[in-house]
Amino acid sequence: MTAPAAAEAALAKTYDPAGTESRWQQAWESSGAFHPDPAAEGDPFSVVIPPPNVTGSLHMGHAFNTALIDTIVRFQRLQGKNVLCLPGTDHASIAVQTILEKQLKAEGQRKEDLGREAFLEKAWAWKAESGGTIVGQLRRLGYSVDWQRERFTLDAGCSTAVIEAFNRLHEQGLIYRGEYLVNWCPASGSAVSDLEVEMKEVDGHLWHFRYPLTAGAAADGCTHLEVATTRPETLLGDTAVAVNPKDPRYAALVGQTLALPLVGRQIPIVADDHVDAEFGTGCVKVTPAHDPNDFAIGQRHNLPLITVMARDGSMNEAAGRFQGLDRFEARKAVVAAMDAEGFLVKVEDYRHSVPFSDRGKVPVEPLLSTQWFVRTEPLAARCREALENADPRFVPERWTKVYRDWLTDIRDWCISRQLWWGHRIPAWFVVSETGGEITDSTPYVVARDEAEARTKAEAQFSGGSHAHPVVLEQDPDALDTWFSSGLWPFSTLGWPGELNGAEPADLARWYPTSVLVTGFDIIFFWVARMTMMAGALMESRGDASAAWIPFRDVYIHGLVRDENNRKMSKSAGNGIDPLLLIERYGADALRFALVREVAGAGQDIRLDYDRKSDTSATVEASRNFANKLWNATRFALMNLGGETPASLGEPDPAALQLADRWILSRLARVNRETAERYGNYGLGEAAKGLYEFAWNEVCDWYVELIKRRLNPGENPSPAALADQRTARAVLAKVLGELLVMLHPLMPHLSEELWHGLTGQPESSFLALQSWPALDQAALDNQLEAQFAELIEAIRVVRNLRALAGLKPSQSAPVSFVTGRAELAALLQEANPDITALTRAETVAVLSPEQAEAAPAAKALAGVSGELQVLLPIEGLVDLDALRGRLEKDIAKADREINGLAGRLANPNFADKAPPEVVLECKANLAEAEAQAALARRRLGDLG
RNA sequence: GCCCGGUUAGCUCAGCGGUAGAGCGCCUGCCUUACAAGCAGGAUGUCGCUGGUUCGAAACCGGCACCGGGCACCA
């Protein structure tokens, strides 16, 4: 019993993806199909996936990203490349810690109650659960990644990489520690980077205050300056008022002092260009410790920094009587006090933007704090240089500018976070120097481990002797998640490897990676961080940017939006669980739907979805396509007589019929186009092209055309049997190659059907086959054009039959009239096909002369080009419908004649347009005129 | 304020110099032995507005309008 016969018996009428998908997922994984050997043959092709955060479960955006990456890597595998697709997850320091703290809070606890160690245990437990869910979801999508190489940004290997990277950057002076104004998130109790701050428009107020001059009154009688602020509580930390140096109103006052209300401090009036004389009163209160612009003014004028707020967002001792109040209460209290003491001039409603913390969802507080920073400009400069060689190459190209602009005028990156979950900073404070405590002035050493830190510290602080043992304490802070994510393309490949050893095999083989596929929303967070890190750390690979840049291409895709065009996100609560759609329609259907929607260059995709029923018409359409392929294969299995593409062999070119040559030409063309599209990130076009070829050409026409040949009936002649074999061979070839081409998009279904069709054992995989060779010789433009005419002719007949109200089962005679010998020959050759596809009683092909000579019977008539189609079925004809049809034809031809004639009548057209365009235009005009004339005559015949 | 997308059939989108397209939805007729998750046929558009370039513009250039996004930000 052959495999196909078994499959035939097993094939149900409709495709049921559930069992099929899990079966192949297990077979691929257990066989190690996607576990490549770095020593294996084939050009390397590698992708590291964007590691999803272990913050819960995957959403549709991940499914989209997965569908794109998997399509690409599966295609490259079919191209014979040595493909590595490496999976993993991200520890998402701040996001996960926020979730855990929220959980603790619900239980009435704080993390401090647990202690660091117990808290981290909880975090690892969370990671195990969420990571497991995510990995399960990725498997359900059929992701052809190497699970044996799965990584986590906080695993041992990544930790080694992070420590090494931190040390090297520190040694190169690219990491420093210092006190600066940072974005402080009171909700998470940590500093955050500029990228984690989001400006939001809020309705607030602009309070106008009067600050009195210390000197009483100036020469012009002025006794005070008026300032306006949106943040009254910060006035407690004011150390100056600034005016524009060119502002004549205040020129005389610069250098004088003001008495700061409520506080009484004397503060100077300074002149600074930052101040816009046109805005408000032209006077700005300056709070260097609580505002980035004021900080800069303070630097320029050497102003003191007075911090009036604590890290939890409450006012500190410097705030005097306001100490202990939360910042928002303090705001009210300060305003009330100012009003009471007569300093409040007025309050205006004012809409302005306020920086919010992405995670904490509260306004961030610019706060003076000692933190670790990465000096970004030298790293960015190296990346900008690389960009001159198009490293990396962005697809679509327009993202290059976004990336370059961000790398220009970049600010230093604050990398320390006051968090526990994450990579602990590999710096040790020599607390024995500062009385056992970490203060801003405690010296520190950066090292790879505590032993190395001790050696370094002893060398520095105890003269190398053990007489005065140093006491070390590791920095309690953790690193920004993106620090470890920034190392992802090489930390996952084994970097840094053994000390002084050769490069790890994976790194040597697969670095740089071939392409990074990700959404535009993390170009700054992630893409640029990776290129900057690589620029500093991959120096051993040489100076040429192509050697160290972590990916040759960056394929940027859009976001998945919901049915209301909103970005799908967990917080908005409008996410769609991919598993729901997978369960309903299958992973292949979901993947195909997502890729098919992507066609445009990186546009967002809108996935239609009915939340009441959990259905999606888009995904359903793809499911239907899967079912179509299923049935096409089922048809083949029922008609190949137990043979396979291999046993049938290549069809004999001499035996090919018209339809065979046509479909083989189309197959070759689709092969060429599809390979090109897959290779150029034209994934949506590849999907659409295959969909149309499979459904509209193979199923609708080719299969219908060969049914007759596949079933030669009782006692077939040897010629009929030979022709049956030819049709079988072509069908098997077309279907077999189509399945290979579809495999990157619909891996499970194609794998299943390919096994059914080829009878290959379970241990052999379509996923590891070769892309079908392109049959150049089969390409035939002229044939494809002719065949399109034949299809059109058949359509006209069908249309006329529909007009006549003929039942599909009723047969009717058909006549074609054409003056073109080639077309006549084609129609003759296709006579049996036409008969079959139009239920023709007889098919006659006549020249115009012959038609003229014959007595003009009442007939349905239609035209296609200059071809006339006649259905002489007097009596059955609905004359009005027929007239309507002819009038429509005439109107259409007339419109065309008008347009074409008008164009030809324009002397400029004949002079300036290319000759072939003019000729084509004339030909089209002649045809349209002939068509109109024919239709008019037929209309006249009807009386 | 600066930058980037988008505006084409009821919906979702392709087309990006030579006579307007697909899928879904809609209408009509069909259970034709692969598939009703199907087959055949059909209807549907001042291609946002406005100038210009061109023999010819949905497409190229300018302006405008509206929608979406990013960056910066004046207290």
Side-chain angles (χ1 to χ4, degrees):
Chain A
M1 187 179 187
T2 60
E8 179 186 338
L11 278 190
K13 232 175 149 179
T14 55
Y15 172 51
D16 174 26
T20 305
E21 292 183 348
S22 66
R23 188 153 42 79
W24 289 112
Q25 284 160 18
Q26 281 163 27
W28 288 327
E29 191 172 338
S30 61
S31 69
F34 308 133
H35 177 59
D37 177 357
E41 294 204 349
D43 292 338
F45 190 93
S46 55
V47 176
V48 290
I49 78 163
N53 289 348
V54 287
T55 46
S57 56
L58 298 188
H59 56 253
M60 202 53 73
H62 292 110
F64 183 40
N65 178 260
T66 298
L68 296 177
I69 295 182
D70 200 48
T71 300
I72 291 169
V73 299
R74 282 184 185 267
F75 170 68
Q76 294 295 340
R77 223 175 263 120
L78 295 171
Q79 293 289 306
K81 302 271 178 67
N82 183 6
V83 174
L84 170 65
C85 186
L86 191 146
T89 46
D90 194 299
H91 69 284
S93 171
I94 195 166
V96 167
Q97 179 151 340
T98 304
I99 292 171
L100 292 174
E101 288 197 52
K102 207 175 276 175
Q103 286 180 359
L104 283 176
K105 197 175 174 189
E107 298 162 16
Q109 280 188 298
R110 295 176 312 133
K111 67 177 190 297
E112 287 75 14
D113 301 331
L114 284 182
R116 189 165 188 138
E117 207 168 312
F119 181 82
L120 289 180
E121 244 170 65
K122 247 180 120 64
W124 279 103
W126 166 270
K127 182 267 166 186
E129 194 188 324
S130 169
T133 303
I134 289 168
V135 164
Q137 285 175 303
L138 292 177
R139 282 193 164 91
R140 287 286 299 275
L141 283 161
Y143 217 163
S144 66
V145 294
D146 182 2
W147 288 111
Q148 294 181 49
R149 284 183 169 88
E150 182 191 345
R151 296 295 298 274
F152 176 56
T153 56
L154 198 51
D155 65 21
C158 286
S159 289
T160 305
V162 162
I163 291 168
E164 185 63 25
F166 192 96
N167 274 268
R168 287 200 200 173
L169 292 174
H170 184 258
E171 283 156 17
Q172 295 172 41
L174 293 168
I175 283 184
Y176 63 92
R177 182 174 166 80
E179 187 181 39
Y180 297 91
L181 210 54
V182 299
N183 305 299
W184 188 264
C185 169
S188 49
S190 174
V192 295
S193 70
D194 293 338
L195 283 181
E196 289 156 285
V197 172
E198 191 192 354
M199 302 303 279
K200 275 194 202 168
E201 290 261 298
V202 298
D203 289 313
H205 302 283
L206 195 56
W207 286 273
H208 291 251
F209 296 134
R210 196 177 285 137
Y211 283 15
L213 280 161
T214 337
D220 60 355
C222 164
T223 58
H224 63 267
L225 288 186
E226 189 180 318
V227 298
T229 181
T230 54
R231 308 186 52 207
E233 70 281 10
T234 65
L235 77 81
L236 304 170
D238 282 1
T239 54
V241 167
V243 296
N244 190 286
K246 297 198 185 80
D247 194 332
R249 291 174 293 177
Y250 307 115
L253 296 175
V254 173
Q256 296 205 33
T257 57
L258 298 162
L260 183 61
L262 308 186
V263 181
R265 184 163 56 238
Q266 281 199 19
I267 58 173
I269 299 170
V270 299
D272 195 281
D273 284 327
H274 172 258
V275 180
D276 179 357
E278 307 291 312
F279 187 88
T281 58
C283 301
V284 183
K285 63 190 262 322
V286 182
T287 321
H290 290 282
D291 180 277
N293 288 311
D294 293 4
F295 183 81
I297 295 175
Q299 298 270 293
R300 288 194 284 272
H301 300 277
N302 212 10
L303 299 173
L305 295 144
I306 297 176
T307 298
V308 297
M309 213 177 281
R311 298 193 159 190
D312 62 357
S314 71
M315 307 310 287
N316 68 10
E317 67 283 356
R321 60 175 136 142
F322 299 98
Q323 181 177 2
L325 289 180
D326 172 77
R327 51 183 170 157
F328 300 112
E329 294 168 9
R331 177 169 303 172
K332 288 180 201 150
V334 166
V335 171
M338 291 293 277
D339 193 14
E341 297 184 27
F343 296 114
L344 177 63
V345 180
K346 60 175 171 177
V347 187
E348 294 174 313
D349 287 337
Y350 190 58
R351 189 168 176 77
H352 62 133
S353 43
V354 172
F356 273 71
S357 157
D358 255 0
R359 283 293 157 196
K361 304 293 173 203
V362 297
V364 297
E365 204 58 54
L367 214 62
L368 211 52
S369 169
T370 303
Q371 302 285 344
W372 294 91
F373 295 86
V374 168
R375 200 180 302 286
T376 45
E377 173 50 27
L379 302 176
R382 192 147 196 228
C383 292
R384 295 195 303 263
E385 271 169 45
L387 206 50
E388 283 166 25
N389 302 322
D391 284 319
R393 179 177 74 109
F394 280 83
V395 179
E397 201 272 333
R398 69 184 138 94
W399 294 109
T400 308
K401 184 176 156 55
V402 174
Y403 169 80
R404 187 195 294 113
D405 287 353
W406 190 72
L407 287 171
T408 310
D409 296 325
I410 190 170
R411 276 178 289 178
D412 282 357
W413 172 21
C414 175
I415 51 171
S416 42
R417 296 288 180 277
Q418 288 61 53
L419 302 169
W420 288 349
W421 175 242
H423 290 278
R424 198 158 169 183
I425 291 172
W428 281 262
F429 289 99
V430 188
V431 292
S432 42
E433 295 294 308
T434 49
E437 282 188 16
I438 300 176
T439 70
D440 282 351
S441 59
T442 307
Y444 58 86
V445 290
V446 170
R448 282 159 182 84
D449 53 38
E450 185 159 357
E452 189 186 312
R454 186 163 301 281
T455 309
K456 283 185 174 177
E458 281 170 354
Q460 257 183 281
F461 299 102
S462 62
S465 89
H466 294 274
H468 304 284
V470 297
V471 180
L472 297 180
E473 200 174 316
Q474 186 172 1
D475 191 325
D477 289 351
L479 286 165
D480 182 1
T481 294
W482 298 102
F483 191 91
S484 56
S485 315
L487 311 175
W488 189 246
F490 40 97
S491 63
T492 51
L493 295 177
W495 186 89
E498 298 299 316
L499 282 177
N500 304 319
E503 259 192 348
D506 284 3
L507 192 67
R509 180 60 161 168
W510 284 299
Y511 192 91
T513 65
S514 308
V515 58
L516 178 81
V517 182
T518 194
F520 62 79
D521 51 334
I522 55 176
I523 289 179
F524 306 147
F525 277 114
W526 194 42
V527 180
R529 260 74 176 272
M530 286 190 282
T531 56
M532 290 196 292
M533 289 291 208
L537 299 168
M538 291 289 108
E539 76 286 350
S540 64
R541 299 189 62 93
D543 280 334
S545 58
W548 60 262
I549 205 89
F551 18 77
R552 274 186 289 275
D553 293 352
V554 179
Y555 176 40
I556 298 290
H557 61 248
L559 272 28
V560 181
R561 317 197 82 97
D562 72 3
E563 65 279 14
N564 297 317
N565 203 22
R566 281 190 301 248
K567 178 181 168 178
M568 279 190 194
S569 74
K570 223 165 288 177
S571 50
N574 63 343
I576 301 172
D577 183 353
L579 286 185
L580 278 175
L581 290 174
I582 289 177
E583 272 154 22
R584 189 175 291 275
Y585 302 112
D588 285 342
L590 175 60
R591 292 172 51 136
F592 194 84
L594 290 170
V595 175
R596 197 163 176 258
E597 289 299 315
V598 79
Q603 301 302 339
D604 289 352
I605 62 171
R606 201 179 308 192
L607 192 69
D608 77 289
Y609 189 67
D610 182 340
R611 279 172 205 279
K612 287 198 191 99
S613 58
D614 284 325
T615 54
S616 164
T618 308
V619 184
E620 185 174 313
S622 295
R623 188 275 313 264
N624 293 351
F625 178 54
N627 191 236
K628 188 73 182 175
L629 294 164
W630 174 266
N631 275 293
T633 307
R634 206 168 134 240
F635 172 81
L637 294 179
M638 291 163 69
N639 284 282
L640 293 182
E643 301 232 45
T644 67
S647 73
L648 287 161
E650 277 291 310
D652 172 12
L656 296 177
Q657 299 223 3
L658 179 69
D660 301 330
R661 283 182 280 124
W662 169 71
I663 201 68
L664 289 173
S665 177
R666 291 295 307 139
L667 177 71
R669 202 173 302 283
V670 168
N671 177 326
R672 196 170 66 185
E673 284 171 2
T674 306
E676 198 180 301
R677 289 165 173 170
Y678 277 143
N680 292 333
Y681 307 106
L683 306 184
E685 286 115 315
K688 283 180 194 170
L690 288 171
Y691 180 98
E692 282 165 19
F693 175 66
W695 200 317
N696 303 338
E697 299 188 301
V698 176
C699 292
D700 288 351
W701 290 97
Y702 187 68
V703 166
E704 293 305 323
L705 283 166
I706 61 171
K707 277 182 174 169
R708 175 175 48 82
R709 295 160 63 197
L710 291 171
N711 291 297
E714 301 285 312
N715 302 318
S717 65
L721 279 177
D723 186 47
Q724 181 193 42
R725 189 169 180 83
T726 300
R728 283 175 170 175
V730 175
L731 175 64
K733 177 185 164 81
V734 170
L735 197 54
E737 296 191 4
L738 177 61
L739 290 173
V740 183
M741 294 193 286
L742 276 165
H743 181 259
L745 296 159
M746 303 187 122
H748 311 89
L749 173 72
S750 57
E751 187 76 74
E752 174 82 2
L753 295 179
W754 182 80
H755 279 266
L757 185 68
T758 62
Q760 289 285 315
E762 291 259 322
S763 57
S764 166
F765 295 115
L766 167 58
L768 301 178
Q769 299 305 304
S770 296
W771 186 262
L774 175 62
D775 185 358
Q776 282 285 357
L779 286 170
D780 189 338
N781 279 322
Q782 204 190 341
L783 175 68
E784 287 183 33
Q786 283 187 333
F787 209 85
E789 287 190 290
L790 173 60
I791 286 175
E792 201 42 47
I794 291 173
R795 287 218 164 109
V796 173
V797 176
R798 284 172 170 171
N799 173 257
L800 292 178
R801 287 181 52 102
L803 270 177
L806 287 175
K807 295 271 174 208
S809 54
Q810 283 178 285
S811 65
V814 175
S815 297
F816 295 108
V817 181
T818 176
R820 277 170 52 217
E822 329 85 81
L823 182 55
L826 177 80
L827 293 169
Q828 282 297 2
E829 187 184 351
N831 190 315
D833 296 327
I834 295 166
T835 303
L837 296 189
T838 65
R839 285 267 178 170
E841 197 173 294
T842 55
V843 175
V845 182
L846 307 172
S847 68
E849 296 76 27
Q850 288 170 319
E852 201 66 42
K858 277 264 169 66
L860 280 155
V863 285
S864 161
E866 53 74 60
L867 174 72
Q868 292 183 74
V869 181
L870 304 176
L871 252 68
I873 45 165
E874 206 170 349
L876 286 169
V877 183
D878 175 345
L879 283 180
D880 285 340
L882 183 52
R883 273 193 203 97
R885 158 87 201 195
L886 286 170
E887 275 158 5
K888 212 182 108 193
D889 283 344
I890 292 166
K892 192 180 168 208
D894 281 348
R895 267 200 309 277
E896 209 172 317
I897 291 166
N898 272 336
L900 292 167
R903 215 188 306 178
L904 284 165
N906 182 342
N908 286 327
F909 177 68
D911 290 348
K912 296 189 182 165
E916 65 270 18
V917 172
V918 177
L919 279 177
E920 195 189 328
C921 194
K922 282 179 177 161
N924 288 343
L925 180 60
E927 194 179 307
E929 279 168 345
Q931 197 168 355
L934 285 173
R936 285 206 166 87
R937 221 179 95 198
R938 285 291 159 198
L939 193 59
D941 288 349
L942 291 177

